[in-house]
Amino acid sequence: MNPVIVIPSYWGRDAGPGALGQRGVYDYTTPIDKPLPELESCLSSLEQVSGVLRVIVLVVAPKECEESARARVTSICRAHASLNPLVVGSQETKYVERAVGRVAHHVTGETVSLRGYGAIRNMGLAVAAVLGHDVVVFLDDDEVVQDSDFLVKAVWGLGSLTRQNLQVLVKSGFFVDEEGSPYARPSTEWSERYWSKAADFNHVMKRMQTSTSRMTRSNHLCGGCCALHAAAFSKVPFDPYITRGEDLDYVLNLRANGLDAWFDNEWSVRRLPPEETAGAPSVFMQDVHRWLYEYRKLDAMNARRDLRTITSESLMPYPAPWLSEGVRRRVFRTALRRLVTGPDRLAYLRILTKGRFDADRFARVASSRYLSFAMVWPTVMAALWEDRVVAGAILKTGEVVAPLTVPAPALGGLGDTGAFPMQTIPGEDL
């Protein structure tokens, strides 16, 4: 196999919050002048990992500080030459966007770009395809790797068949917090009674963590610790129209196309997130858009005869309760309770009187946009795969060190089998 590690890195002039409901507002952004950025710690932890062939860093920054962010990321990457880092910013992505536009010129919106969680993931997949990588391992820059066999575990099982003859093409690991726990912390606040997902998530996580099998079929995908095989990511894209939660949404997209996400309870990273810079009302508004959109989108997918039906029972206990009409009541009750308890009362009043209705209208209109985009995605990936012209342009400006000659590692019995390898792992039980 030929795996690549892709790290989206979010930067900003400062740590100020974004506007309410504004697209391109992320949970946190790294201030350009931060003494020790999260990306530095992440790349330092990868130095101990065996078998790293290339690390792609996607630089996400607003136009007003894009040049400064690019310079800072390039400086950090130069200090980790052994990782063969490739910096991808607007200078490199314009070549990919042009190639995508030639194939998907009729698709609306920024589907493969450096703005919006889903579009950023798609850009990572597109760059990997251009360079001929048949496995993409996503990692967040606020995570550190604690295991030298991180990449070996990442590709373990990919391309193999389970006892039920199901292909493992997408797998998720998990992250642990500073205390080493993989579980979410439930909120006891009165205002969060209808919005906290921790209890349901922990129930799912505990079931997978305590499973006697290393790999289990999953309703969850950890976007900061997941591995995608080319046979899956060249067929199913991330949704660029969703405001956040693109990783969990990808599970639904896979299911609709007859594929599954799998959970590996022996593969993890440690997450050290900084304080969120996006304001609570903005994050909440993005979640309102997200869940109302998911609810409408699931209905749209289930109405299609060429896609598999996704039942609520198959998504229990989480995220099924969030993918039904009841999510509209959750939005109203939570916004009302936050309005009562404060702070940011004016923002939640706007959400109650206007924001939630705007989100519902958007969900109704946009629910089928992803399906149109997904239909052309395989053609897009086929056009991008090992495109020498695009690859040459990206490498010319994106490489920050001289090309390194790195021998192909022995990845736990998964050798280099060419593009789209499909094989079993002797002696391992899925």
Side-chain angles (χ1 to χ4, degrees):
M1 286 186 176
N2 185 19
V4 63
I5 298 174
V6 177
I7 306 175
S9 189
Y10 304 89
W11 294 77
R13 179 72 66 186
D14 51 40
L20 180 64
Q22 178 184 351
R23 187 176 180 226
V25 173
Y26 309 104
D27 290 351
Y28 79 92
T29 55
T30 304
I32 295 172
D33 58 355
K34 189 169 186 176
L36 182 61
E38 286 74 25
L39 179 62
E40 168 62 34
S41 300
C42 179
L43 294 181
S44 294
S45 71
L46 285 173
E47 294 276 7
Q48 62 160 332
V49 176
S50 59
V52 177
L53 300 178
R54 175 182 278 128
V55 174
I56 297 174
V57 180
L58 304 176
V59 184
V60 182
K63 289 184 178 180
E64 61 268 19
C65 63
E66 180 181 342
E67 187 174 340
S68 299
R70 171 63 181 257
R72 190 75 198 277
V73 170
T74 299
S75 175
I76 293 171
C77 287
R78 282 202 180 110
H80 302 282
S82 63
L83 300 177
N84 194 18
L86 178 69
V87 177
V88 175
S90 60
Q91 189 174 358
E92 290 75 27
T93 58
K94 66 183 179 182
Y95 300 105
V96 176
E97 291 171 352
R98 288 173 187 170
V100 172
R102 287 193 292 267
V103 179
H105 55 85
H106 63 286
V107 177
T108 60
E110 296 173 288
T111 55
V112 184
S113 72
L114 290 180
R115 199 165 79 101
Y117 284 116
I120 292 168
R121 298 275 183 188
N122 287 337
M123 181 59 73
L125 299 179
V127 174
V130 167
L131 300 176
H133 294 284
D134 52 14
V135 173
V136 172
V137 178
F138 278 111
L139 190 66
D140 287 341
D141 68 355
D142 64 340
E143 297 169 340
V144 294
V145 175
Q146 298 178 294
D147 190 347
S148 61
D149 288 334
F150 171 80
L151 200 55
V152 174
K153 292 182 177 179
V155 300
W156 184 91
L158 280 181
S160 64
L161 300 176
T162 68
R163 289 182 175 180
Q164 294 76 31
N165 206 35
L166 299 173
Q167 296 177 350
V168 178
L169 298 176
V170 176
K171 60 179 285 189
S172 173
F174 59 97
F175 63 77
V176 297
D177 58 23
E178 294 180 350
E179 299 175 357
S181 172
Y183 301 108
R185 298 178 182 179
S187 175
T188 58
E189 296 182 22
W190 176 76
S191 61
E192 305 307 303
R193 176 180 176 184
Y194 299 103
W195 206 246
S196 177
K197 301 175 286 291
D200 292 337
F201 171 80
N202 287 343
H203 179 77
V204 172
M205 181 61 66
K206 184 175 182 180
R207 183 178 63 190
M208 295 188 294
Q209 288 283 352
T210 58
S211 172
T212 55
S213 298
R214 174 174 171 175
M215 298 273 278
T216 53
R217 188 170 179 264
S218 177
N219 292 344
H220 166 72
L221 185 70
C222 176
C225 184
C226 63
L228 284 62
H229 194 288
F233 73 70
S234 62
K235 180 180 180 182
V236 183
F238 284 88
D239 190 335
Y241 306 108
I242 198 167
T243 53
R244 55 192 282 120
E246 80 292 344
D247 44 5
L248 186 146
D249 174 80
Y250 197 64
V251 176
L252 305 182
N253 302 333
L254 291 170
R255 292 267 179 96
N257 285 277
L259 301 174
D260 284 303
W262 296 82
F263 183 85
D264 184 343
N265 61 19
E266 294 186 16
W267 182 39
S268 66
V269 294
R270 186 181 182 187
R271 188 168 181 241
L272 302 172
E275 184 178 351
E276 289 188 352
T277 56
S282 181
V283 173
F284 177 71
M285 193 63 222
Q286 285 187 328
D287 271 333
V288 171
H289 275 273
R290 167 197 180 182
W291 290 115
L292 291 176
Y293 174 73
E294 288 277 42
Y295 158 53
R296 300 293 183 185
K297 176 184 170 182
L298 188 59
D299 281 349
M301 288 196 298
N302 283 340
R304 290 276 293 265
R305 293 186 177 182
D306 58 332
L307 298 176
R308 290 195 178 184
T309 300
I310 304 174
T311 64
S312 296
E313 291 76 15
S314 67
L315 298 173
M316 289 296 288
Y318 177 78
W322 296 79
L323 300 175
S324 65
E325 189 175 3
V327 72
R328 300 168 70 184
R329 292 191 296 273
R330 289 177 181 268
V331 170
F332 173 78
R333 290 171 175 174
T334 303
L336 182 60
R337 289 185 173 217
R338 290 189 181 187
L339 170 64
V340 171
T341 59
D344 302 311
R345 288 188 171 91
L346 182 58
Y348 289 110
L349 179 61
R350 289 173 54 196
I351 293 173
L352 274 172
T353 57
K354 186 176 185 297
R356 62 192 180 103
F357 298 108
D358 291 343
D360 200 24
R361 280 192 292 270
F362 170 81
R364 291 175 183 271
V365 172
S367 59
S368 60
R369 286 182 185 174
Y370 171 76
L371 301 179
S372 298
F373 169 57
M375 288 182 64
V376 74
W377 178 253
T379 305
V380 169
M381 295 302 283
L384 290 175
W385 193 267
E386 294 187 330
D387 185 308
R388 293 184 179 181
V389 175
V390 178
I394 291 175
L395 293 173
K396 183 178 180 180
T397 58
E399 284 187 316
V400 297
V401 293
L404 301 176
T405 303
V406 183
L411 297 177
L414 293 179
D416 186 0
T417 57
F420 298 26
M422 302 298 300
Q423 64 183 52
T424 58
I425 301 178
E428 297 288 2
D429 181 14
L430 296 186

